[in-house]
Amino acid sequence: MDTVFYNAVIETMDVNNSVYEACGIKDGKIAFLGTNAEAAGLPSAEKIDLKGCLVLPGFNDTHMHAVNCASNSRRLMLDDVKHIGDLKKKIAEFIGTNAHKGVITGVGFNQERLEEKRYPTVSELDECCKDFPLRIYRICGHVMLVNSKSLEIVINSPDYESVRHNVDEENGILKENAMGVLSEALSENSETTEEEYSELIKFISGKLNACGITSAGTNDYFGDWRLISAFRSLDENGELTVRFNLQCCFGSTDELKVFVESGEYGKHSDFFKPGPLKLFTDGSLGAATALLNEHYEGDPHNFGVAAMSESEIDCFISAANELGIQSLSHAIGDKACEWVINAVERALNGRPNTLRHGLIHAQITTPEILERMKNAGMIALIQPVFIEDDMDICEKRIGRRRTQTAYAFKSAVESGIPVSGGSDAPVCSFNVLENIHYAVNRSKLTDELCENVFIPGECLTVREAVRLFTSNAAYATFEEDKKGTLEVGKLADIVVIDRNIFRIPKHEIKNAAVLRTVTGGKTVYFAKAR
């Protein structure tokens, strides 16, 4: 053996929920599972006493934006502002650092966390920034707040008329495709090099490893081949410590066909896998742009925003199905979910869903939607971490009746839908142990005893929650034969936790910590026991 870990509680997450005391690793794969006594007799280059800690398969965040997370580390972080005065102060301080290079980009903002519970006005933003274009992304990424300078750029754009319905000129609020008009104008001469992409990937990989993440589905490809080249080079040089599945967006089905026919989709390794197709079909609940069948509470003219038409969704999913590529669609509102399900049903035309087409988020659902997903063989990629903010706003947005069938994690699992978990980072934290807490307890991190529970009937068991980020996550990417469980012959991706989350009180899960992360038999993160 190259390495033997012993004196541990090894929860394999296999079909039998097997538990062992020791495991051996050889050539990057699990080569032995057994007792401490058996491990003592194994010749090995290294033996490591884990002192009773919990061992799990390496975590897999099935939907995030990894490169965007890394880029955000260089932007103005606004996730902690509590009032508009604090917001203006942070913007002014950022301008003083000269780090903005002529454009101020703020990220992580959430008006629901402010004392005022509202967006800042254009005039308030102009007070602290009038000489440079300013754009502030709401935490969900579906709303952008701008100052007068940025608003002027949008209004003078040749594309303005096509996005005018998503622009609130009076308040400086851009929604959905209107944000793209400003972003394109501000970034027209800015191109990320392959070397810069490589640095961003390596930076975020270290952060992911520190959270026990050894695999991630990342939605960062929007047509820039330099990103794929960066991943390929890092892979070929053995520099990747996270196994990435690249979720890809395209401007047309023709672009999708070129991508698949180029051979990029089928060019896979254990560390890098381009595909599947990723679609954005609606907005977010927090921004009141998720596409609903019924209007938002107190806003009879607002049914949300369709980021794509139903016919466009049909075309993309049909093309993906014909090309043999999986499709994963961002769909938060019930109408958006139904449009995607309709498209999948039409594309399959009664045939099995062998490509595992699925929904990302699937927040506002009904029993009928879940039943249709199950019958169509669809998968779901959910984000339990959304509960932290959304439990405070859900009823405000859609009322009590619709809220009772929202965030239906338990119902989806019990219906037989393959459900995996993610963070949608940088929208939310990619701390998997916290995400497991939300799936199990459905309460805020600050709720010490988890007494305020959001729809208690939808709480998952600890084992169900762990599967979201291990075995079920591997299934979502057709890699269940390689990883997701700790079994002899599978990849040696493991995470060591400082306490047994299956045994401690459930409200203490959020306090657990990652001590060691191993990818392919190599320790890529190590921390001292607390």
Side-chain angles (χ1 to χ4, degrees):
M1 300 290 165
D2 298 321
T3 307
V4 171
F5 292 105
Y6 68 98
N7 192 17
V9 178
I10 301 173
E11 289 275 0
T12 64
M13 303 306 296
D14 67 10
V15 293
N16 299 314
N17 294 319
S18 305
V19 182
Y20 298 96
E21 295 176 318
C23 71
I25 297 170
K26 179 69 175 175
D27 297 330
K29 295 184 178 181
I30 303 293
F32 162 79
L33 290 161
T35 66
N36 288 329
E38 291 170 328
L42 289 175
S44 64
E46 181 180 36
K47 289 189 177 180
I48 299 174
D49 182 356
L50 293 182
K51 301 178 181 179
C53 288
L54 174 67
V55 173
L56 292 171
F59 293 142
N60 185 343
D61 186 316
T62 55
H63 177 66
M64 66 183 312
H65 308 266
V67 175
N68 194 18
C69 283
S71 297
N72 276 0
S73 67
R74 305 174 181 179
R75 295 170 176 166
L76 173 59
M77 292 303 302
L78 300 170
D79 56 332
D80 60 347
V81 296
K82 301 300 182 185
H83 50 81
I84 290 174
D86 186 28
L87 170 67
K88 292 195 290 185
K89 181 180 178 182
K90 293 197 76 167
I91 293 171
E93 290 175 347
F94 188 76
I95 292 173
T97 67
N98 294 316
H100 52 86
K101 297 181 180 179
V103 178
I104 314 296
T105 301
V107 295
F109 175 77
N110 186 349
Q111 81 282 8
E112 297 293 338
R113 297 176 186 170
L114 299 183
E115 292 176 2
E116 297 90 343
K117 301 293 183 185
R118 67 171 175 84
Y119 293 129
T121 64
V122 172
S123 60
E124 285 171 326
L125 294 180
D126 284 346
E127 287 172 13
C128 58
C129 180
K130 62 179 181 180
D131 297 325
F132 307 103
L134 169 66
R135 54 182 173 180
I136 297 175
Y137 287 92
R138 190 187 183 278
I139 190 169
C140 62
H142 292 269
V143 166
M144 182 187 288
L145 314 177
V146 298
N147 65 352
S148 296
K149 197 111 180 153
S150 290
L151 187 59
E152 182 182 350
I153 293 172
V154 174
I155 293 173
N156 292 330
S157 166
D159 297 320
Y160 179 60
E161 287 304 318
S162 65
V163 302
R164 189 170 192 164
H165 60 289
N166 282 330
V167 179
D168 181 341
E169 292 186 23
E170 182 178 355
N171 296 300
I173 300 174
L174 312 181
K175 295 182 178 180
E176 305 304 337
N177 59 354
M179 299 187 302
V181 172
L182 177 62
S183 295
E184 184 174 350
L186 295 179
S187 306
E188 58 183 5
N189 296 317
S190 174
E191 292 185 346
T192 304
T193 66
E194 181 178 330
E195 291 74 20
E196 288 170 333
Y197 275 131
S198 295
E199 290 305 312
L200 292 171
I201 293 165
K202 287 191 288 185
F203 170 82
I204 198 62
S205 293
K207 300 293 185 182
L208 296 172
N209 291 153
C211 288
I213 295 172
T214 58
S215 294
T218 185
N219 178 203
D220 289 303
Y221 181 78
F222 296 87
D224 191 343
W225 287 84
R226 286 173 294 235
L227 176 65
I228 291 180
S229 295
F231 273 115
R232 292 257 187 247
S233 295
L234 291 172
D235 185 14
E236 290 167 2
N237 293 330
E239 296 182 75
L240 289 178
T241 60
V242 175
R243 305 182 193 278
F244 287 102
N245 288 278
L246 188 63
Q247 298 165 1
C248 304
C249 294
F250 301 93
S252 68
T253 55
D254 286 339
E255 289 180 13
L256 170 63
K257 291 175 183 176
V258 169
F259 180 79
V260 174
E261 291 170 357
S262 72
E264 285 296 331
Y265 175 63
K267 196 175 175 183
H268 301 161
S269 75
D270 285 340
F271 274 93
F272 181 60
K273 179 180 177 182
L277 164 69
K278 165 70 191 309
L279 301 178
F280 284 95
T281 69
D282 70 345
S284 75
L285 189 67
T289 56
L291 189 63
L292 305 176
N293 283 312
E294 301 175 47
H295 65 73
Y296 281 84
E297 287 289 297
D299 193 357
H301 301 294
N302 184 14
F303 291 81
V305 175
M308 303 175 67
S309 69
E310 187 170 12
S311 62
E312 287 174 324
I313 296 170
D314 267 352
C315 287
F316 268 103
I317 291 180
S318 175
N321 198 66
E322 291 176 6
L323 290 165
I325 182 171
Q326 182 187 35
S327 69
L328 299 175
S329 302
H330 163 119
I332 288 178
D334 54 354
K335 189 168 188 175
C337 291
E338 289 176 356
W339 279 7
V340 174
I341 296 169
N342 292 343
V344 170
E345 289 175 341
R346 282 192 279 264
L348 295 176
N349 193 26
R351 298 184 298 272
N353 187 357
T354 56
L355 294 175
R356 301 177 187 174
H357 300 301
L359 290 178
I360 298 172
H361 308 314
Q363 288 167 228
I364 313 304
T365 58
T366 63
E368 292 75 23
I369 285 174
L370 297 182
E371 180 67 17
R372 289 182 64 195
M373 288 181 67
K374 165 63 178 173
N375 291 339
M378 297 178 68
I379 65 174
L381 287 68
I382 64 169
Q383 289 67 43
V385 66
F386 282 5
I387 284 175
E388 174 72 30
D389 289 318
D390 288 5
M391 67 183 291
D392 291 334
I393 66 169
C394 199
E395 282 196 29
K396 295 178 186 177
R397 296 289 191 272
I398 61 174
R400 183 170 180 79
R401 173 180 55 83
R402 285 182 285 177
T403 294
Q404 293 310 301
T405 60
Y407 303 82
F409 306 156
K410 188 74 168 183
S411 296
V413 169
E414 290 185 341
S415 74
I417 296 171
V419 182
S420 61
S423 64
D424 203 19
V427 173
C428 290
S429 166
F430 50 70
N431 184 316
V432 176
L433 290 168
E434 290 180 0
N435 220 326
I436 289 170
H437 152 79
Y438 290 114
V440 172
N441 296 303
R442 295 177 70 97
S443 61
K444 291 180 175 291
L445 290 178
T446 53
D447 186 350
E448 287 298 324
L449 298 178
C450 301
E451 296 171 314
N452 183 21
V453 182
F454 180 58
I455 317 176
E458 294 294 345
C459 292
L460 297 183
T461 67
V462 178
R463 193 165 297 279
E464 288 169 337
V466 172
R467 287 197 181 281
L468 297 181
F469 299 93
T470 56
S471 56
N472 290 9
Y475 180 86
T477 54
F478 302 88
E479 295 174 293
E480 64 268 30
D481 292 334
K482 286 185 176 183
K483 61 186 182 183
T485 60
L486 299 178
E487 300 179 73
V488 171
K490 287 193 173 182
L491 295 169
D493 296 353
I494 70 174
V495 56
V496 181
I497 311 297
D498 69 346
R499 65 200 74 185
N500 189 340
I501 61 174
F502 297 98
R503 298 291 184 183
I504 61 176
K506 290 187 289 186
H507 67 267
E508 294 182 7
I509 292 172
K510 59 182 176 289
N511 300 321
V514 172
L515 297 181
R516 183 189 295 263
T517 305
V518 177
T519 304
K522 297 179 181 179
T523 294
V524 294
Y525 172 77
F526 177 76
K528 293 180 179 179
R530 295 193 300 180

